[in-house]
Amino acid sequence: YKYTNSGWQQFASMKEKRAYFAGVMHKNKLHVFGGYDGSRSKTTELISIDGGVEYGPELPSAVSSLAITSINATVSILSGGKTDTPNYSYSTLTWYFNHETNIFSNGPSLLEGRSGHGSATCVDKVTKAKIPMVTGGWNGGYLDTTELLLNGMWQSGTIQCPKMATLFQKGIAFSKVCLLYTSPSPRD
């Protein structure tokens, strides 16, 4: 769907049904990663502003309830999620994705495995540095922690998310830095 002056209009249909996916805009295309439709997905799709839909490259692993944020004009970072691998049920894995080359590369592991979390890139008001962050989520219980990607490594944030159980029911995670949207049910 897309919003126009006359309200919401059906716009395009993805090639696969999916819930609990991550998405980010890049050059007038919505890039959709992973998700869940009875099983976790490795597929990605690109939805053009004109309504065209095409498959993108496969994710390194099937994952749902992951998050994504842009790092710069060409690279985004995907984080966490839920996988079918027993050791990474609530994943600490991250991948960088280059939108120009369509190549995934391993990123630094999160400090805590998490799914259904929020992710954003905030700008430091003093240094103007872009700082990717993840916050909240689920790993068998609601998380009230924040991690910041500083100097290529995830570090614990000094901000804790208040009352995550209540906020996740509404689909919103708050921190003093950003307002982040995440799926309302991170337990798929």
Side-chain angles (χ1 to χ4, degrees):
Y1 287 83
K2 73 176 179 178
Y3 189 76
T4 65
N5 289 338
S6 58
W8 288 102
Q9 306 277 325
Q10 187 168 358
F11 175 62
S13 294
M14 287 193 279
K15 293 186 175 287
E16 297 181 17
K17 291 188 240 181
R18 62 181 80 218
Y20 310 112
F21 57 87
V24 67
M25 289 296 294
H26 178 74
K27 291 191 175 178
N28 292 324
K29 291 185 179 182
L30 175 63
H31 291 222
V32 175
F33 298 85
Y36 187 82
D37 182 30
S39 62
R40 293 181 217 315
S41 177
K42 288 180 77 168
T43 63
T44 68
E45 297 185 39
L46 292 89
I47 304 167
S48 300
I49 201 162
D50 65 4
V53 180
E54 61 185 294
Y55 280 110
E58 277 199 349
L59 283 160
S61 298
V63 63
S64 63
S65 297
L66 66 165
I68 189 169
T69 189
S70 297
I71 290 182
N72 58 41
T74 58
V75 177
S76 295
I77 188 164
L78 294 108
S79 59
K82 193 162 184 190
T83 67
D84 292 325
T85 308
N87 294 340
Y88 296 109
S89 182
Y90 298 104
S91 183
T92 60
L93 297 178
T94 70
W95 298 291
Y96 294 107
F97 179 69
N98 185 310
H99 295 274
E100 300 297 319
T101 64
N102 284 331
I103 294 175
F104 291 95
S105 57
N106 292 331
S109 294
L110 295 171
L111 301 175
E112 292 184 90
R114 58 182 76 221
S115 69
H117 54 291
S119 181
T121 297
C122 298
V123 178
D124 185 292
K125 288 184 178 183
V126 175
T127 67
K128 307 298 183 211
K130 294 180 179 178
I131 304 170
M133 62 184 291
V134 296
T135 187
W138 175 266
N139 72 354
Y142 288 102
L143 296 171
D144 66 352
T145 56
T146 300
E147 298 180 38
L148 309 171
L149 185 60
L150 300 169
N151 301 316
M153 300 297 296
W154 291 102
Q155 299 179 27
S156 293
T158 56
I159 303 161
Q160 289 197 329
C161 304
K163 306 272 184 191
M164 290 309 296
T166 302
L167 295 173
F168 267 113
Q169 290 169 1
K170 296 176 184 171
I172 298 174
F174 288 95
S175 78
K176 292 180 183 175
V177 179
C178 297
L179 171 66
L180 306 171
Y181 180 80
T182 187
S183 68
S185 177
R187 297 183 209 165
D188 72 48

